[in-house]
Amino acid sequence: MKTYPVKIKVNGKWKEAAVTARDTLLDVLRKKWLAYEVKNGCSEGDCGACTVNLNGKTVNACLVLALQANGKEVTTLKGIGTEQNPHPIQKAFVEKGGIQCGFCSPGMIMSSKALLDKNPVASRSEIREGLSGNLCRCTGYHKIVDAVEHVAKNNQS
Ligand code: FES
Ligand code: FES
């Protein structure tokens, strides 16, 4: 199959790959660049597990063609904090028990960050709405919402 070169900045570093016209951004992130923190839950835009930031917009990486991301900048979970220096939302997810199996967590945290970047003091119902595109099979959502609400409340003070 014919391939095309793409260059995409991932978490601050330019990366190159040859992709087909059908490869998605999720394919290239996971299969070519081993960005396993970006999860593949459904490949159809239904679960939010593959949520990343693309040039400032929150997207499902499974719904973006790799060619559409050419020349653009992607931030994944690993781009917002490290183990030594986690983002406050990452810290709150751990402290408030918002992570069980962890499969949904990267996408949940990226969506939470997008929400609080726009609305730092989001209410509980705004948080629920902001995370409505992200599915979790384990937590029942309460602890996830608790975690994000904790950060939003800290932002008020
Ligand atoms: S894997 Fe992209 S939304 Fe489910
Ligand atoms: S923690 Fe397991 S799917 Fe959300």
Side-chain angles (χ1 to χ4, degrees), residues 98-105 135-139 144:
I99 297 175
Q100 283 188 24
C101 81
F103 191 84
C104 70
S105 311
L135 305 183
C136 174
R137 292 181 183 175
C138 309
T139 62
I144 289 174

Side-chain angles (χ1 to χ4, degrees), residues 61-75:
C62 67
L63 294 184
V64 177
L65 291 173
L67 285 171
Q68 291 175 306
N70 190 23
K72 296 185 178 166
E73 204 166 323
V74 174
T75 305

Side-chain angles (χ1 to χ4, degrees), residues 3 18 25 28-29 34-35 37 46 58 66 75 80 87 92-93 96 106 124-125 140-142 147:
T3 59
L25 176 59
V28 73
L29 282 168
L34 313 183
E37 73 275 21
D46 287 333
T58 305
T75 305
I80 67 167
H87 188 279
F93 266 65
K96 298 289 173 190
R124 201 164 175 93
S125 63
Y141 300 96
H142 296 295

Side-chain angles (χ1 to χ4, degrees), residues 26 39-51 59-63 103 133 135:
L26 179 60
K39 303 296 181 196
N40 184 1
C42 68
S43 303
E44 292 181 348
D46 287 333
C47 74
C50 65
T51 303
V59 297
N60 289 328
C62 67
L63 294 184
F103 191 84
L135 305 183

